[in-house]
Amino acid sequence: MIHSSTKLITLDQFTIHETRQFPQATGELSSLLRDIGLACKLINKQVQKAGLVEGILGKQGATNVQGEEQMKLDVYADELLINILRNSSDCAGVASEENDDVVCFDDAYSLNSKYVVLFDPLDGSSNIDCNASIGTIFAIYKRISPLGQCCTKEDFMQSGKNLMAAGYVIYGSSTMMVYATKTSINGFTLEPSIGEFCLSHPNMKCKEAGSIYSVNQGNWNKYSQGVRDFLTTCMDKSYSHRYIGSMVADMHRTLIKGGIFLYPADSKSPNGKLRLLYECNPMAFLAEAAGGMATTGTERILNLVPNALHQRVPIFIGSKDLVNAALACLEKDLATA
Ligand code: P6P
């Protein structure tokens, strides 16, 4: 266990302590997490004063590859993350919700960097103007292409089970980073007086049994019978329905309080809405690290082999008992179809 005279354990102290546990570790992942943390502290600064700064709120007047209206803060967050990671000592390239294709860094140093990073720079950004919590989601892979050359698209198109680390920063009533490696999931709360993320939620666990379900019930008429049967079960059991419409916020509550978050396929969106590589995979990695589950309804999310950079998949994620209950309803519907 890490020891600290100040009781506060910063993200850097924690990641360096983790690195020291593995003699072969080089500290590059710690350095990458520090860079992501820096970018998110700068994003947080803008998000926290969004309503006050002329020109930072509102639409960018452009659309991203998803065809979604880009908010000015989306573009700010995206460009900031790309620039900080370009100057990182450990990132060979990035892929982002806001960019059509991967961005491979071609400077001599980056050609020899070991990791690539995918991110949704500001998930839930449509909630910025109503002050609901939003967040940055990130996923880190070790590149599979040889060092000494530009990273390739294949470095990003890996199955989620290959993730080295993944996490999110939630810009809410407090600003928190939650990240997982293959060995643990921990939460760090930003202490503004020192500008450091400090360990606040060690060894996070997703409750096995949950009683909160999180879904956009407005899509009821477009859902399959199996999804409707599951939601009816939740209502019959008087479970609480909570839906913020920001995946990071809905997932953070699910990790802290238990429950299930679902964005199923529907008659309008046959693959659901959320993106596999930089939303569903990182959240599935976190959920499983916390003892939860994450499935498309037919397959474990982390087993999927991506077929496109911005591929969408259905997702049922959270407490094991609720995800299994949803699967039972889906399977029953398939059996009777
Ligand atoms: P809907 C935000 O736009 C987002 O990508 C996720 O953060 C969120 O979970 C989902 O879309 C909300 O979608 O269709 O319910 O508004």
Side-chain angles (χ1 to χ4, degrees):
M1 181 57 199
I2 186 171
H3 300 285
S4 162
S5 56
T6 65
K7 297 283 181 286
L8 279 182
I9 297 170
T10 69
L11 175 66
D12 285 354
Q13 287 174 313
F14 184 86
T15 55
I16 290 165
H17 174 262
E18 290 288 286
T19 302
R20 288 160 60 104
Q21 310 311 304
F22 301 98
Q24 76 283 5
T26 59
E28 288 167 299
L29 192 57
S30 304
S31 159
L32 199 46
L33 285 164
R34 182 184 312 120
D35 292 330
I36 292 170
L38 170 62
C40 291
K41 284 188 275 192
L42 293 167
I43 293 168
N44 177 60
K45 193 164 176 286
Q46 294 304 317
V47 167
Q48 296 307 329
K49 62 182 182 182
L52 298 171
V53 176
E54 188 56 36
I56 194 84
L57 267 180
K59 297 186 169 69
Q60 175 72 4
T63 56
N64 60 20
V65 65
Q66 329 288 340
E68 292 167 345
E69 283 265 38
Q70 285 183 310
M71 307 299 281
K72 288 178 182 168
L73 270 175
D74 274 333
V75 175
Y76 169 80
D78 185 53
E79 290 172 358
L80 183 68
L81 275 158
I82 292 173
N83 292 331
I84 285 187
L85 290 170
R86 186 190 303 277
N87 294 302
S88 161
S89 54
D90 311 287
C91 182
V94 298
S96 157
E97 180 193 58
E98 302 301 331
N99 298 280
D100 299 9
D101 205 348
V102 301
V103 178
C104 298
F105 302 147
D106 55 8
D107 61 281
Y109 201 97
S110 300
L111 295 180
N112 285 295
S113 293
K114 209 157 79 173
Y115 295 105
V116 293
V117 182
L118 297 99
F119 50 80
D120 181 352
L122 209 53
D123 175 75
S125 54
S126 55
N127 290 303
I128 291 173
D129 48 4
C130 55
N131 223 11
S133 298
I134 55 181
T136 297
I137 309 172
F138 59 89
I140 302 173
Y141 287 103
K142 195 175 284 186
R143 62 188 286 189
I144 50 180
S145 57
L147 297 180
Q149 63 185 33
C150 268
C151 59
T152 63
K153 197 159 189 177
E154 287 63 40
D155 290 323
F156 299 87
M157 301 282 281
Q158 299 185 54
S159 179
K161 58 179 178 282
N162 295 353
L163 280 166
M164 291 301 292
Y168 58 79
V169 174
I170 180 167
Y171 310 110
S173 45
S174 67
T175 299
M176 265 191 78
M177 177 187 281
V178 174
Y179 85 87
T181 59
K182 292 186 188 296
T183 54
S184 70
I185 172 172
N186 297 278
F188 301 79
T189 300
L190 183 64
E191 167 46 81
S193 65
I194 57 172
E196 293 283 1
F197 285 106
C198 297
L199 184 64
S200 54
H201 295 65
N203 293 314
M204 292 171 72
K205 293 292 175 215
C206 181
K207 288 178 191 156
E208 183 121 2
S211 59
I212 299 172
Y213 68 105
S214 185
V215 66
N216 182 345
Q217 200 118 348
N219 293 327
W220 178 274
N221 291 333
K222 295 180 285 189
Y223 286 148
S224 69
Q225 190 56 46
V227 172
R228 291 181 194 173
D229 291 347
F230 171 64
L231 296 179
T232 301
T233 305
C234 293
M235 290 184 270
D236 290 347
K237 292 182 176 180
S238 303
Y239 287 166
S240 297
H241 180 222
R242 296 285 183 274
Y243 192 70
I244 301 165
S246 171
M247 188 185 198
V248 172
D250 284 317
M251 270 307 302
H252 187 62
R253 183 202 53 250
T254 301
L255 285 174
I256 298 290
K257 292 181 177 287
I260 183 171
F261 171 81
L262 54 156
Y263 207 106
D266 63 43
S267 53
K268 186 182 131 213
S269 315
N271 295 311
K273 173 181 182 182
L274 300 176
R275 275 60 55 133
L276 172 61
L277 286 176
Y278 41 80
E279 289 173 328
C280 297
N281 264 343
M283 290 303 187
F285 188 79
L286 289 163
E288 290 197 6
M293 252 177 99
T295 173
T296 62
T298 55
E299 291 181 86
R300 179 187 178 225
I301 294 271
L302 294 181
N303 282 349
L304 296 175
V305 178
N307 56 40
L309 195 61
H310 301 290
Q311 172 183 359
R312 298 173 194 266
V313 293
I315 185 166
F316 301 75
I317 183 170
S319 297
K320 267 190 180 147
D321 71 337
L322 281 172
V323 175
N324 282 321
L327 285 174
C329 291
L330 298 176
E331 284 150 16
K332 185 171 165 232
D333 180 30
L334 279 178
T336 53

